[in-house]
């Protein structure tokens, strides 16, 4: 998916968020249970953007107009080099419905888990803020009717 890759490479996390379906399912390489919803997924991706250093996509697998894509990447977390893959599945409207991330080696995944643990308070605050903004928007829309 060219738009996702371009947004990530430009560090444009608002553009990344705009590509997510409301009910997107995000499967993390370091957490067993998937996360569901645009707000939590966007907050996690913002945290990953803060944690990864020297991030770069190296290859894309999938047909340009297809609904399934694999974006292979390399990055660093602290002194650990990471290789990984973002697996994207698009819904019928072209939004990202599923995002699964896998990383290797184990020492890199462990470094990523430690680095992300330091981000959880900020992630929770961003999710709360997004939910409050969404609720306020719904209230305004209901009042306008």
């Amino acid at each position: 998916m060219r738009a996702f890759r371009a947004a990530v490479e430009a560090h444009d996390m608002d553009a990344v968020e705009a590509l997510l379906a409301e009910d997107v399912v995000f499967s993390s390489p370091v957490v067993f249970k998937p996360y569901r919803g645009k707000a939590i997924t966007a907050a996690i991706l913002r945290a990953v953007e803060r944690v990864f250093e020297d991030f770069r996509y190296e290859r894309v697998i999938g047909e340009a107009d297809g609904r399934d894509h694999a974006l292979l990447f390399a990055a660093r977390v602290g002194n650990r080099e990471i290789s990984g893959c973002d697996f994207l599945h698009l819904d019928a409207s072209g939004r990202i419905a599923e995002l699964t991330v896998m990383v290797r080696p184990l020492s890199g995944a462990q470094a990523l888990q430690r680095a992300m643990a330091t981000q959880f308070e900020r992630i929770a605050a961003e999710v709360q803020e997004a939910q409050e903004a969404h609720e306020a928007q719904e209230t305004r829309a209901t009042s306008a009717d």
Side-chain angles (χ1 to χ4, degrees):
M1 152 163 260
R2 284 183 219 148
F4 180 80
R5 179 180 181 169
V8 170
E9 290 177 334
H11 305 280
D12 186 348
M13 300 315 288
D14 291 337
V16 169
E17 183 174 357
L19 296 168
L20 301 174
E22 288 298 324
D23 58 350
V24 62
V25 176
F26 174 72
S27 296
S28 165
V30 296
V31 178
F32 175 74
K33 188 176 178 180
Y35 294 96
R36 297 184 185 279
K38 187 175 189 173
I40 186 66
T41 301
I44 291 169
L45 293 176
R46 282 184 169 85
V48 169
E49 200 265 339
R50 292 188 296 267
V51 166
F52 275 167
E53 299 173 60
D54 302 326
F55 180 89
R56 64 204 171 278
Y57 282 116
E58 298 184 323
R59 190 165 34 141
V60 177
I61 301 170
E63 298 177 18
D65 59 348
R67 291 178 59 184
D68 293 291
H69 304 271
L71 289 78
L72 284 75
F73 65 84
R76 190 170 43 80
V77 176
N79 64 353
R80 296 290 181 197
E81 296 291 327
I82 293 177
S83 297
C85 189
D86 292 336
F87 294 99
L88 308 175
H89 176 72
L90 309 181
D91 64 16
S93 68
R95 298 262 186 255
I96 299 169
E98 296 173 22
L99 172 55
T100 300
V101 180
M102 295 188 182
V103 298
R104 63 164 304 281
L106 177 59
S107 61
Q110 291 167 330
L112 177 59
Q113 183 178 34
R114 286 189 301 273
M116 288 299 292
T118 68
Q119 298 287 318
F120 280 128
E121 284 184 30
R122 186 167 175 183
I123 290 169
E126 288 179 15
V127 170
Q128 181 67 32
E129 184 178 301
Q131 289 172 338
E132 289 171 1
H134 182 72
E135 289 170 7
Q137 185 179 28
E138 284 183 344
T139 301
R140 285 191 301 273
T142 303
S143 299
D145 291 341

